Structure formats: C-alpha cells, structure tokens
Amino acid sequence: MSSIGTVRVDLAGRGYDIAIGPGLIDRAGELSAKLLARPRVIIVSDDIVAERYGARLFNSFKKAGIEASILFVPAGERSKEFDTFGQLMNALLDQRPDRKTTLVALGGGVVGDLVGFAASVLLRGVDFIQVPTTLLAQVDSSVGGKTAINTRHGKNLVGTFYQPRLVLADTDVLDTLPRRELLAGYAEVVKYGLIDDPAFFDWCEKNAADLLAGDAAKRTYAIEQSCRAKARIVAADERETTDLRALLNLGHTFGHALEAETGLGPDLLHGEAVGTGMAMAFDLSARLGLCPAADASRVRAHLGAVGLPVRLRSIGGDNRRQWNAAKLIEHMRGDKKAQAGHLTFILARGIGKAFVTREVDEAALRGLLDQAIAA
Ligand SMILES: NC(=O)c1ccc[n+]([C@@H]2O[C@H](COP(=O)([O-])OP(=O)(O)OC[C@H]3O[C@@H](n4cnc5c(N)ncnc54)[C@H](O)[C@@H]3O)[C@@H](O)[C@H]2O)c1
Ligand SMILES: [Zn+2]
C-alpha cells in the first residue's frame, strides 16, 4: 500500500481525520464504514466530477456493504445559489433519509460548501464526509467546517460552522484537474508557508515544479502540511473569534477586491486572486517598512515562476481591465471581513511572519494600488 498521510483536526467531541494519498476514492467505503451511524450514504457531486469519479466512489461504498445513492448539481459557482440549494434539499428528501444517513460531498469547494450546508440543516443536521477533488478543496475548503451558499448580496453570506466526520483527499484525482485550477489551489498551499512556516515556503520553491507535474509523494506532503497548518489554526479558533483564524486570509483582502472587480467569473479564479493578493500584501508590507523588500520580491518571483498571475495587467485575458484604485478600496470596504469601516489586512514582517492589522494608512494603500496598476 502506498503511503497515506493522516492529519487529525482536534475539536472536542467533533474531531476528525483527514486522509491524504493516492487511491482513496476506491477505499472510501472501507475507510468510512466504522464512522457511519447507519450503512446508508447519499453522494452529492457536480456533473463533471461525477462523470469521472461518481461510479468509483459509489462502488467503493457498495463493496463495503453500504447502501448508496448519488445526486448531481451542475458544475460551477452558480450551484451555490439558493435555487440550487432548494432543489438539492428536495432531491435529498426524495431519498427518504433519516437522521442517521450520511451525506458525502464529492467535488471541489462548490460541492463541499453546498453539501456541508445542506448536511447542517437537513433534518436539523446529519453527518457528512468530504471527498475533495480540487487542490483548493483538499488544502483549504474541505477542512475547518465553514459551509456557505451565495446570495445577491455576495458570496458565502449564508452558512454554518459544521464539521465533517472525515475528509478523504485522493491525490490521484488531481491528474484530471485543469492546470489553471491546479495552480489556483497551489496559491493556497504557498499561503501556509507565508503565514508562519518559512521552511515550508523554501520547500515549495524547490518542489513546486514536481508537485505540479504530478509527483504523488510531493503532492501528499504539500497537502498534509497545508491541512496540518489549517487544522492547527481551526482547532485554536474554530469560529474566527480571535485574529488567529483571520491569518488564513493572507492575500484575501486584495484578492476579494480583485474578484469583485472581475465579476467573480472565469477571468480570475479565487486562488489566482489570492496569489496576486499575497504578492500585493507583501509589497504593501515592504512599502510600510515592515518587511524586507527581498522577501516581497521572493514571494512575487515564486508565484510568477509557477505561472500564477502576479501583475494586474496580466489579469482578464482578452478583455483587459482598466483598474482603478478607488474602486478597489471601495470593494475592500464592502468585504464582510471589514469591521466598522476598518479594513483588515494580513501583512508580514517577512516570509512566515504574517500578522493581522486594522491600522493600514490609506495613503500607503493608495500608493501601493497605484503602483500595482501602473506596473
Ligand atoms: N468553506 C471554506 O472554508 C472555503 C474556503 C475556500 C473556498 N471555498 C469555496 O470553494 C469554492 C471554490 O472551490 P474550487 O476552486 O474547488 O471550485 P469548484 O468546486 O468550482 O471546482 C472547479 C472546477 O473543477 C472541476 N473539477 C473538480 N474536481 C475535478 C477533478 N478532479 N478533475 C476534473 N475537474 C474537476 C469542477 O467540476 C469545477 O468545474 C468557492 O465557492 C469558495 O467560496 C470555501
Ligand atoms: Zn481562499
């Protein structure tokens, strides 16, 4: 058996394991059997992922003597809207679940967020298992228990904190993930090094090419390190009541503003926005004299070297944007993380030395944005 990594998320009474490695989809039944209140699961997936992996996951449950059925939603962020959510709830209830039925989310962050939310309210709460299939979902969204759907007021404004019983991150499925999605997820991997683990950032610089090319052992290691970092922060601050969990938003104040400006569409994926946003956060830290300029250059160089967009002018494909600093700041003020008008930034004193601040001078921010727009 090839090596499977395990990370434990320690939460009193609700702790769970994240298993990471190749071949896990085919072992899902065996690995989850003892956790199920009753041998009955309903798998929910998106149509793209279901076509590739639905039957294998279904068969793995069957093989373990677990009754299984499978439902689909269309692939894409729009499946996190109320309409899809309502249809999914009715489709789930059509399956006559009881409180001991377990839901299984097979897909990226969209399916994970949607199904996690559904599990938290179906019959006032049923268990669920995450089988994340994008790198972003494996290192970020499937861990930590945030669930959400979108409204016309913005993304992720309706949701719950609801932890899965198990996460199975099968590294093989990343082989079919489009390169752009893989890179977007990789930005969130780098994030963990930049927050508080400079040795992991060094590792990323040396091993990114192999990892992105499909090296299974390196993928497992990077996902394990990422999950361990997120699990540690989540265990200490499950509901984001202190600034600790906010560190996970490194690059996100800028990133969310860029996403808002590009319309949350295919022009800029979330992880791409976070990559650009992290480069900007380090540049702002350097501009404020908090962080050595050499560290900010190193961050930008690594993200650029793997192929993430680090310059605003490279974003948007054919329909290049006219970026506007005032508009970007307006988006930042609209972000749900902004508290009483104070923008929250995650800045850094160097690689692996991130901290939270609400004291960023607006003129400096303006200067940084103008420079990024001109670059
Ligand atoms: N809950 C959290 O803590 C958290 C954290 C970060 C992001 N999110 C949410 O995650 C969502 C984004 O997730 P995502 O980036 O995984 O996007 P996604 O779920 O939309 O997946 C991206 C695309 O890849 C396809 N795909 C997935 N796995 C595949 C595979 N193995 N092979 C081929 N194609 C595959 C999907 O069908 C989809 O078209 C957003 O809605 C975001 O709000 C949540
Ligand atoms: Zn993110």
Side-chain angles (χ1 to χ4, degrees), residues 147-187:
T147 82
I149 57 172
N150 302 334
T151 72
R152 67 183 163 82
H153 292 275
K155 273 186 61 164
N156 299 332
L157 293 175
V158 172
T160 48
F161 285 100
Y162 197 68
Q163 302 292 343
R165 295 296 313 276
L166 176 69
V167 180
L168 296 175
D170 185 333
T171 49
D172 287 340
V173 304
L174 301 178
D175 289 344
T176 58
L177 194 64
R179 175 86 180 174
R180 233 186 118 189
E181 297 284 353
L182 187 67
L183 274 178
Y186 179 71

Side-chain angles (χ1 to χ4, degrees), residues 136 140 188 191 248-250 252 256 270-271 274:
L136 181 122
D140 188 0
E188 302 272 9
K191 183 183 78 177
L248 295 170
N249 287 320
L250 175 62
H252 284 61
H256 285 152
H270 172 75
V274 169

Side-chain angles (χ1 to χ4, degrees), residues 347-369:
L347 297 183
R349 296 197 173 83
I351 287 167
K353 297 181 190 159
F355 65 97
V356 181
T357 176
R358 296 183 182 78
E359 313 288 317
V360 169
D361 172 52
E362 188 150 335
L365 172 62
R366 193 61 201 248
L368 182 274
L369 289 171

